[in-house]
Amino acid sequence: MKRLRGWPFALGVAGGVAAAWLWKRRQQRLALADRAGHIADRAMQALEPAVRSRMLAGDGVRLHAVEAGPEDGPLALLLHGFPDCWYGWARQIPALVQMGYRVVALDQRGYNLSDKPGEVADYGLDHLTADVLAVLRDLGRQKAVIVGHDWGGIVAWRLAMDYPEVVDRLVILNAPHPRAMAREMRKGWMQRLRSTYALFFQIPWLPEALLTVSPRATARAFFQKLGTSDAFAAEDLEVLAAAMAQPGAMSAALNWYRAAVRFPPARRTADIQRPTLLVWGTADPALGIELTEGVGAWVPGMWLRYFPGMGHWVHWEAAAGVNEQIAAFLAADWQEEPGAGGA
């Protein structure tokens, strides 16, 4: 009995220590979120040529964006993935500007400084493509080169299927074509195992609670461990962590996964008739190379470029090579495809 009497005290002490630790972590997260503007300004100042921040109209939401390049240049619209933000394109913005493009890198809905609707339904894929259409209208443009990575690539695939008239050319980086993803999920356990994290994200509140305990640790986990090199410097991770620390940002980002299950697109999957470049880091631990097989049957105007040994963040890990492939694709007569190959 004497031993049992000590347990309540021990549990109370442990609970107090845990509560103090969580409170400290919360204060650190709030402080990081408060400094996000300063951190982002410093990151923008470091980019050459100069970039500027602005808000754009989405589909009933306001979306933050960073833009660069000549106002009258052809438009390149960059769509990031999870758990990224506009800064995920820091290695591509200067290269595209050098090619003569007006570059707009969005914080997609729910991310960083963009609006964060409260319902899961607000993050359905049809809303995400509607955001792109609204942004084009706000920019006074009828079409753009659409560049997407990860979830941004999924939005880009869908946009090219449903609204091909607004897509000049399509660049996809490590984002599965929906038919390829469905095939691999049916075919066997390999991609299912790789995608188990998406099942965890379906659980209410717990994933965001864990991922926001320390945004810096979360940034290191996603941006360093899903890659194969030290492509992200400490200052890069600080920008990305500050974006994740924004109030409500992680819940909103996870709602993309939840909405994908509950609110599928209204239209059927269709072939894509726009010229397309698919870039793939072959060592992506979340998305197997099998997802690139057979995609040309659904995307006749496609170039496929592999980056052997590169991970999920191929546009960081092999930035120079990826930029070269994008430049060659944008400069080429797309009807003269050199075919699939490696880089």
Side-chain angles (χ1 to χ4, degrees):
M1 291 297 293
K2 289 182 179 179
R3 291 181 180 179
L4 291 176
R5 287 173 188 167
W7 276 106
F9 176 76
L11 289 174
V13 170
V17 170
W21 183 80
L22 289 171
W23 182 85
K24 181 179 178 181
R25 288 292 188 178
R26 180 177 181 274
Q27 295 304 111
Q28 290 173 341
R29 177 174 58 81
L30 294 175
L32 181 61
D34 288 342
R35 294 179 55 241
H38 171 71
I39 293 170
D41 287 344
R42 187 174 60 196
M44 288 191 290
Q45 290 168 8
L47 289 178
E48 292 290 344
V51 300
R52 49 201 176 270
S53 176
R54 65 177 296 182
M55 298 299 292
L56 293 166
D59 179 34
V61 295
R62 298 292 292 172
L63 302 176
H64 174 255
V66 168
E67 64 176 352
E71 292 280 344
D72 58 351
L75 180 63
L77 188 60
L78 313 184
L79 307 176
H80 66 80
F82 175 88
D84 212 342
C85 66
W86 73 267
Y87 189 72
W89 300 108
R91 300 296 182 266
Q92 282 65 55
I93 292 172
L96 286 164
V97 170
Q98 191 172 13
M99 297 174 212
Y101 283 87
R102 179 187 182 187
V103 182
V104 175
L106 286 181
D107 282 333
Q108 298 204 75
R109 73 162 56 198
Y111 282 88
N112 197 21
L113 303 179
S114 292
D115 285 351
K116 301 166 183 64
E119 301 298 325
V120 172
D122 294 325
Y123 297 90
L125 201 46
D126 287 339
H127 282 300
L128 306 178
T129 54
D131 281 341
V132 177
L133 298 177
V135 164
L136 289 175
R137 288 193 297 269
D138 198 11
L139 292 170
R141 299 300 185 97
Q142 295 183 336
K143 63 171 54 180
V145 171
I146 306 295
V147 185
H149 170 255
D150 185 76
W151 259 108
I154 294 172
V155 175
W157 282 125
R158 192 78 232 177
L159 185 77
M161 292 177 195
D162 293 350
Y163 307 100
E165 69 278 4
V166 306
V167 179
D168 181 12
R169 299 191 182 201
L170 187 66
V171 180
I172 305 289
L173 301 96
N174 279 66
H177 187 284
R179 286 177 177 167
M181 189 65 171
R183 179 195 67 207
E184 293 303 315
M185 292 294 281
R186 288 194 308 267
K187 195 165 107 176
W189 285 98
M190 187 59 70
Q191 188 55 51
R192 294 181 200 173
L193 290 172
R194 292 190 179 109
S195 300
T196 50
Y197 68 93
L199 294 177
F200 173 65
F201 289 169
Q202 301 302 315
I203 300 171
W205 71 261
L206 180 60
E208 46 263 62
L210 295 175
L211 293 173
T212 55
V213 167
S214 173
R216 290 185 176 94
T218 300
R220 288 193 297 271
F222 278 100
F223 293 100
Q224 290 183 329
K225 293 184 180 179
L226 283 178
T228 60
S229 68
D230 296 326
F232 294 92
E235 53 268 27
D236 300 321
L237 294 174
E238 189 75 354
V239 178
L240 298 164
M244 281 189 272
Q246 292 300 306
M250 186 56 71
S251 289
L254 293 169
N255 280 342
W256 285 47
Y257 289 90
R258 294 159 181 160
V261 175
R262 304 179 209 175
F263 305 100
R267 302 187 189 185
R268 295 175 62 88
T269 302
D271 288 353
I272 290 175
Q273 303 299 330
R274 304 307 303 149
T276 301
L277 169 65
L278 177 58
V279 172
W280 204 271
T282 63
D284 189 333
L287 299 168
I289 193 173
E290 300 85 5
L291 291 166
T292 66
E293 296 173 1
V295 176
W298 310 310
V299 191
M302 188 181 81
W303 297 11
L304 174 58
R305 295 291 178 267
Y306 292 117
F307 282 79
M310 297 295 104
H312 186 68
W313 311 102
V314 60
H315 53 310
W316 279 79
E317 298 173 62
V322 168
N323 292 344
E324 287 174 6
Q325 291 297 327
I326 293 174
F329 170 70
L330 295 179
D333 180 350
W334 74 273
Q335 294 180 337
E336 299 177 1
E337 296 112 29

